[in-house]
Amino acid sequence: MSREEILKYVLPVFLPDTELREDNVMYDTEPEKLAVYEWKKLLVCFQSSREPKLYRNSDLEYYKIEKKIMLDVAIKNMETKYESYIEPFYNDSDFGEYLSKNEMRKNGGYDPDNLYCMGVDLFPLSGAEAILSEVYLNKTAEKFGEDFYVFVDSVNNMEIIPCSAVYSSNALSTLSEIRRLAVDESFSFFHGIFRYYVAERKLRLISRIK
């Protein structure tokens, strides 16, 4: 595969914490480690859309590709080829005797009707990579018309909620902790809260559990 082919088909990918740890144990020399770019504390890896290949530092060194260039091209490829989705986190069938919307508003400090899942729904992307895209985030900002919070706890997707739907100062940390405990270890990733500022069109990390 040539340098041009790599850049044509590369995509960003988030790997679960367990897989990243295993890679660090498996490979002793730095050139053989996965190529990883740290983006706002998120560890981004790179994968080909043509084959199940994860790129390593040695690949980037051989083809003389800088990680920042790889990231920018990978995000652009994702935006060009795939659509993001936003859908309600809860269905009406989720509520009943043991789960009440009113109780969640009163004791949880947020409006469950305004909690959503967001992601990119196409292999080989895991889903949560949507947070890397200004295009996807701006589209979400247009939907809400206000600042919103982004919870990252799984490679599968993110949870988002408009700021006006959060009523308590403790709601964010409580919701983030609940999601962290609910995520299976095989999909577990990062565990942090971001805020998207509409006026600045900027995403900032505001809290991290670990």
Side-chain angles (χ1 to χ4, degrees):
M1 183 177 290
S2 67
R3 184 179 190 276
E4 289 71 24
E5 287 177 316
I6 289 177
L7 295 176
K8 183 177 180 180
Y9 296 106
V10 66
L11 293 170
V13 63
F14 291 151
L15 296 180
D17 295 333
T18 53
E19 291 189 25
L20 283 173
R21 287 198 296 269
E22 287 173 0
D23 183 80
N24 287 335
V25 171
M26 191 181 306
Y27 296 92
D28 296 329
T29 58
E30 186 62 28
E32 286 301 314
K33 290 185 180 296
L34 285 174
V36 177
Y37 187 93
E38 186 173 308
W39 185 89
K40 298 183 186 294
K41 303 298 183 181
L42 295 170
L43 300 182
V44 187
C45 300
F46 303 99
Q47 182 169 331
S48 170
S49 63
R50 299 187 69 186
E51 55 182 317
K53 174 181 174 56
L54 286 166
Y55 292 107
R56 301 191 172 276
N57 287 335
S58 54
D59 295 320
L60 272 63
E61 291 173 4
Y62 180 82
Y63 290 102
K64 296 180 172 56
I65 305 174
E66 295 179 9
K67 289 182 182 178
K68 182 61 168 64
I69 292 175
M70 193 81 155
L71 177 73
D72 292 343
V73 173
I75 293 173
K76 188 64 177 178
N77 288 344
M78 176 178 69
E79 293 170 341
T80 301
K81 298 175 182 178
Y82 306 140
E83 291 290 331
S84 63
Y85 65 83
I86 302 175
E87 56 189 32
F89 183 83
Y90 293 109
N91 297 315
D92 288 340
S93 60
D94 293 328
F95 298 96
E97 182 179 357
Y98 299 105
L99 190 61
S100 163
K101 289 184 180 181
N102 289 333
E103 285 296 319
M104 294 174 78
R105 293 187 184 100
K106 180 180 178 181
N107 298 324
Y110 71 96
D111 183 356
D113 284 332
N114 282 293
L115 181 64
Y116 296 86
C117 287
M118 177 182 176
V120 179
D121 192 17
L122 193 60
F123 179 84
L125 298 181
S126 308
E129 292 87 357
I131 196 174
L132 302 170
S133 168
E134 290 186 11
V135 172
Y136 300 157
L137 292 173
N138 290 341
K139 186 185 298 185
T140 304
E142 291 173 2
K143 173 182 174 66
F144 292 150
E146 62 173 289
D147 292 3
F148 57 90
Y149 297 109
V150 182
F151 298 85
V152 179
D153 50 59
S154 165
V155 296
N156 286 342
N157 55 42
M158 308 170 291
E159 286 77 50
I160 57 176
I161 188 169
C163 291
S164 63
V166 178
Y167 313 135
S168 164
S169 59
N170 297 324
L172 294 178
S173 58
T174 300
L175 184 56
S176 181
E177 176 65 11
I178 290 173
R179 294 299 307 140
R180 183 183 72 83
L181 295 174
V183 173
D184 186 275
E185 186 180 31
S186 59
F187 305 109
S188 179
F189 175 70
F190 190 75
H191 303 302
I193 307 171
F194 293 82
R195 177 168 174 164
Y196 185 81
Y197 295 85
V198 172
E200 304 172 46
R201 291 185 176 270
K202 292 290 185 182
L203 183 75
R204 292 191 173 91
L205 178 66
I206 62 172
S207 177
R208 188 177 182 188
I209 293 179
K210 66 175 184 176

